[in-house]
Amino acid sequence: TTNTDYYRPVYHHTPLYGWMNDANGLVYKDGEYHLYFQYNPYGSKWGNMHWGHSVSRDLIHWEHLAPAIARDTLGQIFSGSSVVDKNNSAGYGKDAMIAFYTSASDEHGQIQCMAYSTDNGRTYTKYEKNPILTPFDGLKDFRDPKVFWYEPAQKWYMIVSADKNMRFYSSSDMKNWEYLSQFGEGYGVQPNQFECPDFVQLPVDGNKNNMKWVMIVNINPGCPFGGSATEYFVGDFDGKEFKCDNDKSVTKWLDFGKDHYATVCFSNTGDRTIAVPWMSNWQYANVTPIRQYRGANALPRELSLYTKDGEIYMAANAVKETEGLRKGTTDVNDFTLTDEHLVSPLVTGTEGACELEMDVTPNKAQTVGFQLLNDKGEKVDIYLDLKSGRIVMDRSQSGLTAFGEKSEPHFKETDDHRKVLSVNYVNDFALGTWAPLSLCEGKTYHLDVFVDKCSVEIFVDGGRIAMTNLVFPTQPYNALRFYTQGGEAEVKNLKVHQLGL
Ligand code: FRU
């Protein structure tokens, strides 16, 4: 019913029933985008992992199909990738779809397996000699194989997360894999567990004569806002080893929110590189206030490389197909914000599903921002803090924030010195996340903000900054309240798009 499904997103992909985490086996073939995903068909918490399956022709409208790969005697089916076997390397026919996943069990540990499909990804047959790859050193954390075609060597390559490294392998037949090298130890934030690798080659600033390799590394736990997040490393690959351009201490984030994880890209999409995040965080993914299902994907993002102050960064922008979600647009006249607040009932009628676009010029303001709010005063506060050079999304008063693990009952003293029994939630949710504005050029910031039933995603200047956060308002946000501090600021080209499928 609408009641128990209150937070089900309008335009983000969710499983019909059951639990979902990582996107798996993302592949494009014959007009269809395949989204497989970590799936528990038996309940709305993590467990019994299968590969669930949805397909789309436009990355926006998804059709739910039957789970494609079910757990077996080798264990649960953990994350992995799929490719189209264009040269029939594996022998299941030209253009067979080949899936690579981790089987995980106490008995066999984490081992890499393979399955093939000759019916456009609907059903898979597991390779009879699985596993195809086990760790040479008995590593316990060895998973999430990403397979890609490496043109210079005319071979398939696999990258596997191996504790605090990513390991490279290559193969001619997809069944026998040779170890090449590993990368990662000591790079980026620590402590961490590397998970869900991806490895993509992209032009720098659109220049195809200057290509760079990017390793996407999902890490958990230990990220700046707590729990899990996605970082990336830019560098070069010689067919054997990846060399990062930066020193070990440099960390670059693919998203600056708290609910962006296990992000990997579609294979077989030609010149486009499209990533799909899981929109949650392992700190509280199992206890979000949702009942009938759990887990959603953030919007698919197009990845590209840009240069800022001599450094190469990766932009992640909502795919252009999201324009197809617009059901109506309100244009708002440009305005200058003074210290006074401006309240405008702008998002009424969107039932919590809208997109806001605007160009913000802070001028002399030290803080300029807006709140998405509802009649109960619940709000998401989004602002530029020019003093610290940050864009911030604060969800500490966004609605439900107290869920999750409860602390041990204890006595606490009140203001009038009575002792009362208290049970607090260990709250990893009520907080703000921020990104450095130094990633942007110029004095005007273009904000593209996607709001759905339980999420807010911000893309600044075409994805130079992406920030994805869950929110659980007890009624939809229906107003915008702009404010500035320390001077006037300008807001131009404000558009409110109502979104729907
Ligand atoms: C990442 C992850 C993967 C693993 C999967 C299990 O979120 O921990 O490393 O394969 O989830 O569901």
Side-chain angles (χ1 to χ4, degrees):
T1 70
T2 42
N3 223 1
T4 53
D5 258 3
Y6 180 72
Y7 289 114
R8 190 185 284 276
V10 172
Y11 60 89
H12 287 85
H13 173 261
T14 52
L16 270 184
Y17 173 81
W19 157 278
M20 177 177 86
N21 55 295
D22 315 357
N24 295 153
L26 298 172
V27 59
Y28 179 75
K29 183 172 190 285
D30 298 339
E32 289 180 324
Y33 292 95
H34 294 267
L35 168 53
Y36 300 96
F37 49 88
Q38 284 291 278
Y39 184 50
N40 180 2
Y42 307 124
S44 53
K45 286 188 194 288
W46 187 88
N48 303 301
M49 300 321 288
H50 290 50
W51 274 24
H53 190 198
S54 295
V55 290
S56 174
R57 297 196 156 264
D58 61 3
L59 294 165
I60 296 302
H61 298 88
W62 294 98
E63 183 192 343
H64 296 100
L65 300 179
I69 306 180
R71 62 173 300 176
D72 55 35
T73 51
L74 288 179
Q76 306 196 61
I77 311 296
F78 276 13
S79 290
S81 56
S82 295
V83 295
V84 175
D85 189 5
K86 54 183 182 158
N87 299 328
N88 192 17
S89 311
Y92 301 115
K94 184 177 155 41
D95 293 338
M97 288 168 76
I98 318 280
F100 298 87
Y101 58 88
T102 302
S103 286
S105 66
D106 290 343
E107 195 186 343
H108 304 287
Q110 299 188 348
I111 51 182
Q112 314 322 317
C113 295
M114 167 176 151
Y116 62 92
S117 169
T118 51
D119 60 357
N120 268 347
R122 269 50 183 184
T123 59
Y124 281 82
T125 306
K126 287 166 183 152
Y127 174 47
E128 66 281 5
K129 293 192 189 132
N130 275 334
I132 50 165
L133 184 65
T134 55
F136 52 74
D137 53 0
L139 264 191
K140 205 165 80 28
D141 290 299
F142 184 65
R143 58 179 180 269
D144 309 340
K146 169 73 191 196
V147 172
F148 60 98
W149 177 253
Y150 183 65
E151 191 64 34
Q154 294 289 302
K155 278 187 175 177
W156 294 98
Y157 277 54
M158 185 192 286
I159 170 169
V160 185
S161 61
D163 199 356
K164 291 175 173 57
N165 279 292
M166 294 300 186
R167 286 186 182 163
F168 286 95
Y169 297 80
S170 73
S171 172
S172 297
D173 62 2
M174 299 186 176
K175 293 168 181 164
N176 297 290
W177 293 89
E178 185 195 346
Y179 174 70
L180 297 172
S181 66
Q182 65 180 6
F183 169 85
E185 188 82 55
Y187 278 83
V189 295
Q190 306 285 331
N192 57 48
Q193 156 71 59
F194 280 23
E195 298 182 323
C196 301
D198 210 326
F199 197 57
V200 294
Q201 199 185 21
L202 288 163
V204 180
D205 299 315
N207 176 3
K208 289 199 175 154
N209 296 319
N210 185 15
M211 302 293 286
K212 278 284 184 182
W213 282 96
V214 183
M215 186 187 286
I216 296 177
V217 177
N218 289 280
I219 34 175
N220 180 55
C223 293
F225 305 122
S228 33
T230 308
E231 64 183 341
Y232 63 90
F233 299 99
V234 180
D236 296 307
F237 187 61
D238 61 5
K240 187 163 196 290
E241 269 179 88
F242 174 70
K243 289 216 169 59
C244 181
D245 286 353
N246 295 106
D247 342 311
K248 291 190 167 183
S249 62
V250 176
T251 309
K252 296 176 178 176
W253 297 104
L254 190 50
D255 189 283
F256 293 85
K258 196 164 170 174
D259 299 295
H260 175 283
Y261 196 57
T263 302
V264 285
C265 305
F266 280 97
S267 66
N268 207 33
T269 48
D271 275 352
R272 295 182 76 187
T273 302
I274 303 163
V276 179
W278 169 47
M279 191 157 58
S280 198
N281 188 307
W282 278 119
Q283 276 186 337
Y284 44 71
N286 271 286
V287 293
T288 51
I290 287 179
R291 289 180 230 173
Q292 297 295 68
Y293 75 97
R294 224 182 237 108
N297 295 104
L299 287 174
R301 289 126 200 249
E302 180 123 16
L303 305 183
S304 61
L305 295 178
Y306 66 96
T307 319
K308 178 70 207 300
D309 302 328
E311 273 293 321
I312 301 169
Y313 295 97
M314 190 151 67
N317 205 17
V319 292
K320 63 177 187 309
E321 285 86 343
T322 54
E323 288 172 15
L325 294 166
R326 295 177 186 168
K327 297 294 168 233
T329 297
T330 308
D331 285 287
V332 181
N333 289 338
D334 296 349
F335 54 92
T336 301
L337 267 176
T338 60
D339 281 336
E340 271 167 59
H341 298 168
L342 174 96
V343 181
S344 17
L346 283 176
V347 275
T348 312
T350 60
E351 284 306 310
C354 67
E355 177 189 357
L356 310 166
E357 285 188 283
M358 67 190 88
D359 293 310
V360 180
T361 312
N363 290 336
K364 301 224 168 70
Q366 293 203 331
T367 311
V368 51
F370 63 91
Q371 295 167 343
L372 276 164
L373 45 108
N374 64 20
D375 297 337
K376 295 188 175 175
E378 295 166 347
K379 56 180 185 257
V380 182
D381 201 351
I382 296 168
Y383 59 94
L384 310 181
D385 177 346
L386 285 312
K387 245 182 150 174
S388 62
R390 293 175 174 182
I391 178 165
V392 182
M393 177 169 8
D394 182 348
R395 67 174 176 191
S396 56
Q397 298 173 70
S398 55
L400 301 181
T401 56
F403 46 85
E405 303 301 314
K406 283 180 183 161
S407 66
E408 288 296 306
H410 61 279
F411 284 98
K412 99 174 183 212
E413 203 168 291
T414 62
D415 288 345
D416 55 355
H417 305 292
R418 281 176 302 128
K419 290 220 189 277
V420 295
L421 188 63
S422 155
V423 182
N424 288 325
Y425 285 94
V426 178
N427 199 326
D428 298 311
F429 194 84
L431 83 177
T433 70
W434 63 269
L437 286 171
S438 58
L439 292 171
C440 302
E441 304 270 10
K443 302 264 175 276
T444 297
Y445 302 90
H446 181 75
L447 269 53
D448 194 1
V449 183
F450 288 82
V451 184
D452 203 343
K453 292 283 180 186
C454 65
S455 62
V456 180
E457 288 157 282
I458 306 181
F459 301 95
V460 186
D461 289 356
R464 282 176 175 239
I465 294 170
M467 192 183 282
T468 302
N469 283 313
L470 291 174
V471 290
F472 297 99
T474 59
Q475 56 175 230
Y477 304 120
N478 58 9
L480 280 175
R481 174 177 175 270
F482 281 88
Y483 63 92
T484 172
Q485 281 159 13
E488 54 95 25
E490 273 173 293
V491 178
K492 288 190 173 155
N493 308 315
L494 173 58
K495 290 187 199 324
V496 182
H497 306 286
Q498 195 161 328
L499 300 188
L501 285 179

